[in-house]
Amino acid sequence: MGPDGSRTTAPDSGPNAGADRRPASAPAWEPARGRRRGPSLRAREARAGLVLVSPTVLIVLLVVVLPFLWTILISFQRLRLIDLQNVFDITLTLRNFETVLGSSDLWEMVRTTLIYSVGGTILSVGAGLLTALALRQRFPGRMIIRAFVLVPYVIPVVSAALVWRTLLNPQFGPVNVFGVEVLGWDQPIGFLSERFHRVEVFGLGVDLPIALITVIVFEAWKTFPLAFLFILARLQGLPRDLEEAGRVDGATPLQRFRYVVAPQLSGVIALLVLLRFIWTFQNFNDIYLLTRGSGGTEVVSVQVYNYLISRNDVGGAAALGLLMSVVLIIAFAVYYRYGVLKQESEV
Amino acid sequence: MASRERVETRVLNVARVVWLAIVLAGCVVPLLYMVLLSVRPLQAVLADPLDMLPSLSELNLAAYERVIASPEDGGYGLLSFFGNSLIVALGSVVLTVALSVLGAYAATRLRFPGKNVINTSFFAVYMFPGIVMAIPLFVLFSRLGLRGELPALIIIYLASTVPVSVYMLRNYFRSIPQGLEDAAMVDGCNRSQVIWRIVLPLAMPSIAATSLYVFMIAWNEYLFALLFLLESRDNWTVSLGLAQLDDISVSATVLMAGSVLLTLPVVVLFFAAERLLVEGLTAGAEKG
C-alpha cells in the first residue's frame, strides 16, 4: 500500500472519487478548457489543493518511500561502509542474501522476534483493554488516573530503559533485593542477562527464558497506554442503550461485555493488534537499550544494526531488513484481505 | 433474584480496583524510584536498596551537578546536549506543523486529484521499519556529508511525524464550520489569507496538541540519533548522551539524575496539555 502514495498526481477516479464532504457535482473535476475566462473555480481549487499538499507528500516520498525502494537495490549490491563510492556500482549479486540466510543463528533470531512481537502485542493490547474497561465509568479522579496511565508511553525510551535496568539490577536493584531478602530467593535473578532461569512449579522444574520475558513485559508496559487510549475512546463512543437493553433482558455484566460491548470493540482491537505487531516486530530501541540483544533477546532489528555498524556490511543489513519487511507486508496483506482496515480506515 | 448480576457486579468492582491499583503502581513507581534515587548518595542506596525514602539529611543534588557539569569539570556534560535536543525538537515542530496545516487544510477543504489516496494511505508510512529506512538514509547522508548534522535528524523526524500531524489537524478542521472561510472568500480574501487569518487562529488548540506530539517524538527519539550522530559528540541529543553514559558504567544515581532531566520537559509538557493531546489523537476513534 505504501508506494500508492506516489499516485497523488493520478486522476481521481473510481467509485470513491466523489466521496467528498461536499455533494459531488457532475464530473469530479474537469480541465477548464472550453470555458472562456481562465481556469474554472474547480480547476483552481484542484491546483491549490495539489500545491498545498505536495510538500507533505514530497517529504514522505523522499524520506520514506524512496529509501525503502533504494534498500531493495542495496540488498543486491556489495556495499560496505568503508567504500561508499560503490553506491553507483550496479553489479548485482545475491551474496548478501546468501550471507544472511546462511548465518547459523537466523532461525533462532526469527523465532525470538516472533515470540517477542506476538507476546508483546497480546500483553500490550490486553492490558490496554482491561485498563480501558476499568476506567470506563466516571468517578472522581478518573482523568488524573488516565493521565498517569499514559506516562510510560510518553517518557523517553532511554529513561525508561535506564530505570528498568536499575530496578532489575542483580546487585542493588530493589526487585532482586526484595526477592532475596523477603521472598527468600536463593540468588538474584539476572532479569536482563540470563537466558534461562530454572523455576520450580509444583515440584516441576521449568526453564523460563527470563531475559526474553523481561523485554516483552517492558514492551507491553511501554505501549499499553496507546491501546488503552484508543479503546477507551471507542468505549466512550458506544451508545449506552444497547447495553441497557441487554441489562433489562437479564444479561449479566460479563454477558453484556461478551455479546454487546466486545463485538463493537473488535474493529479497533484488530487495528491495534496489527499496529502493535508491526511496531514490535521492528522495534530496535527497547531491546538494544535493555540487553544489547544478549541473553536470548537478539531480534532481527538489532541484528540489522549489527550488520550495518559492527560489520560495516550495508548490503547485508539491507538484505536482512528487506526480509524483515516481507514479514510485515504479509501481516499487512492478511489484514487487508480480510478487510479489517477498510472499516477502520478512519482511525 | 438477579443474584448472578449482583455477584458479578461485586466481583468485577473488586477486580477493577485491584487492576487499577496494579496499573497505577506500575506506571508511577518507576518514575518515583527514578526521582528518589537521583537525590540520594550512592553509598546510602547500596547500603540499603529497599529503603526507598531518603532521610532529609542525606538529600543532595550531587548527582545532578555531576551529570550536568562539563567533562573538564569532572562531569558528564549532559547540559551541553540540551541545546541540540531543543534545536532538533523545535525545528521538527515548526516544519512539521507548517507542512501539516497546509496538507490538512487541503485534505479537508479542497477537492483535488489523488485526495482519497492521500487520506487513506498516508498511514502506510508507519508500516516501513525505521531501521530499514535508516540504511539508505545512512548511506545518503554520509555521501552528502550531512550524517552527523542536526538537520538530517530534523528531516527524518519531519517525515515520521507528518502523517499523524495531518491526521490530527484534519480531524480538527472538519469540526470547524466552513461558513467563516466562505464569507472571507466572498469578502475578497485569497486562499493564503484565509488560511493565515481564519483557519490558523481557529485551529490553535489543535496546533498546540500537534506541536506537543511532534516535540515529544523528536525529543525522545533514540535510533536515528544513535545511527547518525554517534561519531559527532558535539551534536549529541540528550537521549543519546545519556544512553552513552550507561556504556561507561556511570553510577546509578547519576544515571537517574540524567533520566530525570531528560524526562522532565516531556512530562511537564504532557501534564500541562494532556487533555488537548488525548483529544487530538483520538478524535475520530469514537466512531470506530
Side-chain angles (χ1 to χ4, degrees):
Chain A
M1 184 155 167
D4 274 359
S6 62
R7 279 182 46 212
T8 48
T9 48
D12 201 354
S13 58
N16 293 327
D20 257 0
R21 207 176 35 77
R22 303 175 194 182
S25 52
W29 68 290
E30 59 176 15
R33 248 170 258 148
R35 305 263 173 100
R36 270 175 224 144
R37 276 164 283 131
S40 71
L41 201 61
R42 202 60 204 265
R44 271 195 315 197
E45 185 179 326
R47 213 183 56 196
L50 287 176
V51 168
L52 291 180
V53 91
S54 54
T56 4
V57 173
L58 217 62
I59 195 85
V60 168
L61 283 182
L62 286 180
V63 182
V64 181
V65 179
L66 274 185
F68 187 77
L69 298 177
W70 195 3
T71 305
I72 300 177
L73 177 65
I74 295 178
S75 68
F76 291 100
Q77 283 177 307
R78 296 254 318 129
L79 191 59
R80 309 187 65 82
L81 269 193
I82 12 175
D83 45 19
L84 280 183
Q85 49 271 41
N86 285 6
V87 167
F88 303 110
D89 175 14
I90 322 254
T91 327
L92 299 184
T93 165
L94 285 173
R95 278 196 55 159
N96 296 323
F97 288 96
E98 284 164 16
T99 313
V100 166
L101 291 174
S103 81
S104 53
D105 51 358
L106 178 74
W107 295 112
E108 167 79 21
M109 195 173 67
V110 169
R111 209 175 63 110
T112 308
T113 312
L114 282 176
I115 295 174
Y116 175 64
S117 333
V118 172
T121 300
I122 293 173
L123 272 188
S124 172
V125 177
L129 174 64
L130 287 183
T131 313
L133 289 171
L135 276 181
R136 188 183 182 196
Q137 270 149 23
R138 290 173 197 285
F139 58 86
R142 171 166 167 267
M143 291 319 245
I144 298 168
I145 295 181
R146 183 183 80 173
F148 273 104
V149 166
L150 293 177
V151 162
Y153 191 70
V154 168
I155 64 174
V157 64
V158 171
S159 305
L162 284 178
V163 174
W164 273 60
R165 282 173 57 91
T166 313
L167 280 167
L168 300 175
N169 183 298
Q171 278 99 47
F172 59 86
V175 174
N176 268 315
V177 174
F178 185 80
V180 172
E181 286 181 6
V182 182
L183 300 180
W185 296 349
D186 300 337
Q187 57 192 23
I189 298 176
F191 284 102
L192 293 166
S193 53
E194 267 182 74
R195 187 176 288 263
F196 289 109
H197 189 84
R198 200 160 182 81
V199 181
E200 302 283 331
V201 185
F202 305 120
L204 280 171
V206 185
D207 283 324
L208 287 180
I210 192 74
L212 184 57
I213 291 175
T214 309
V215 293
I216 290 174
V217 172
F218 178 84
E219 157 75 18
W221 173 81
K222 187 96 182 64
T223 61
F224 88 91
L226 184 82
F228 155 74
L229 197 59
F230 278 85
I231 295 173
L232 185 67
R234 184 77 186 92
L235 273 175
Q236 277 159 358
L238 294 188
R240 282 280 180 169
D241 44 358
L242 273 178
E243 281 168 80
E244 198 48 39
R247 204 180 66 81
V248 171
D249 285 350
T252 65
L254 283 178
Q255 288 169 329
R256 294 204 295 274
F257 173 75
R258 169 72 186 80
Y259 295 105
V260 180
V261 179
Q264 301 183 79
L265 293 181
S266 63
V268 71
I269 288 178
L271 183 77
L272 284 167
V273 165
L274 172 73
L275 287 179
R276 285 281 21 119
F277 178 82
I278 287 176
W279 288 337
T280 313
F281 193 86
Q282 64 181 57
N283 192 343
F284 166 85
N285 293 336
D286 301 22
I287 288 186
Y288 185 78
L289 286 166
L290 285 173
T291 68
R292 293 281 191 271
S294 67
T297 61
E298 173 135 68
V299 291
V300 180
S301 59
V302 171
Q303 186 68 9
V304 173
Y305 176 84
N306 287 337
Y307 267 104
L308 186 64
I309 301 298
S310 315
R311 302 192 202 174
N312 286 327
D313 185 357
V314 184
L320 187 57
L322 208 62
L323 293 177
M324 169 180 175
S325 310
V326 168
V327 176
L328 296 182
I329 291 168
I330 292 174
F332 191 79
V334 168
Y335 259 70
Y336 201 72
R337 172 74 186 71
Y338 290 103
V340 182
L341 291 177
K342 284 208 183 94
Q343 65 181 60
E344 288 291 328
S345 62
E346 281 298 309
V347 173
Chain B
M1 175 198 137
S3 69
R4 195 175 153 192
E5 163 96 22
R6 202 172 290 172
V7 172
E8 271 190 21
T9 309
R10 194 163 294 172
V11 170
L12 286 177
N13 274 336
V14 174
R16 170 188 295 133
V17 173
V18 171
W19 174 252
L20 279 183
I22 294 172
V23 167
L24 213 54
C27 292
V28 176
V29 166
L31 276 194
L32 214 57
Y33 178 70
M34 183 162 96
V35 176
L36 289 178
L37 203 58
S38 70
V39 294
R40 299 183 67 189
L42 187 65
Q43 292 82 349
V45 176
L46 296 181
D48 188 1
L50 285 186
D51 177 25
M52 297 274 180
L53 287 177
S55 58
L56 272 178
S57 59
E58 59 179 29
L59 276 185
N60 73 68
L61 298 176
Y64 287 89
E65 287 164 20
R66 192 85 195 281
V67 80
I68 284 176
S70 65
E72 296 90 61
D73 303 333
Y76 295 106
L78 206 65
L79 193 63
S80 62
F81 303 141
F82 273 85
N84 296 330
S85 277
L86 267 183
I87 292 174
V88 170
L90 293 179
S92 307
V93 167
V94 170
L95 282 180
T96 306
V97 169
L99 291 200
S100 316
V101 165
L102 301 181
Y105 174 82
T108 39
R109 294 294 198 249
L110 302 176
R111 281 164 296 185
F112 57 94
K115 176 175 164 175
N116 285 307
V117 177
I118 291 175
N119 276 344
T120 52
S121 68
F122 228 43
F123 274 88
V125 165
Y126 297 110
M127 308 289 139
F128 295 98
I131 184 101
V132 178
M133 276 151 40
I135 299 164
L137 292 172
F138 188 86
V139 173
L140 178 71
F141 286 127
S142 300
R143 293 274 306 179
L144 294 175
L146 272 176
R147 198 176 86 210
E149 304 297 323
L150 298 179
L153 279 193
I154 295 181
I155 293 172
I156 288 168
Y157 298 163
L158 167 62
S160 53
T161 51
V162 115
V164 169
S165 305
V166 168
Y167 166 81
M168 286 171 74
L169 288 166
R170 203 181 68 193
N171 282 334
Y172 195 81
F173 285 173
R174 278 190 185 145
S175 69
I176 304 176
Q178 206 183 342
L180 267 178
E181 294 159 50
D182 291 340
M185 285 285 233
V186 170
D187 286 348
C189 280
N190 61 30
R191 185 87 61 201
S192 49
Q193 286 169 322
V194 167
I195 294 178
W196 188 250
R197 295 195 187 153
I198 313 280
V199 176
L200 267 188
L202 283 176
M204 265 312 158
S206 176
I207 288 175
T210 310
S211 306
L212 184 64
Y213 163 78
V214 177
F215 184 92
M216 295 199 305
I217 297 283
W219 182 272
N220 293 354
E221 207 278 339
Y222 175 67
L223 167 61
F224 282 94
L226 171 71
L227 275 174
F228 287 19
L229 301 182
L230 190 58
E231 286 151 33
S232 28
R233 190 175 193 279
D234 289 344
N235 286 337
W236 282 4
T237 60
V238 185
S239 271
L240 177 59
L242 188 61
Q244 289 306 111
L245 287 189
D246 194 28
D247 279 354
I248 52 174
S249 52
V250 170
S251 79
T253 49
V254 172
L255 283 179
M256 290 303 102
S259 301
V260 171
L261 292 177
L262 170 64
T263 312
L264 205 61
V266 166
V267 167
V268 167
L269 279 177
F270 169 71
F271 275 99
E274 187 255 342
R275 193 162 294 193
L276 213 58
L277 186 71
V278 168
E279 278 164 11
L281 276 172
T282 57
E286 287 90 348
K287 293 170 295 185

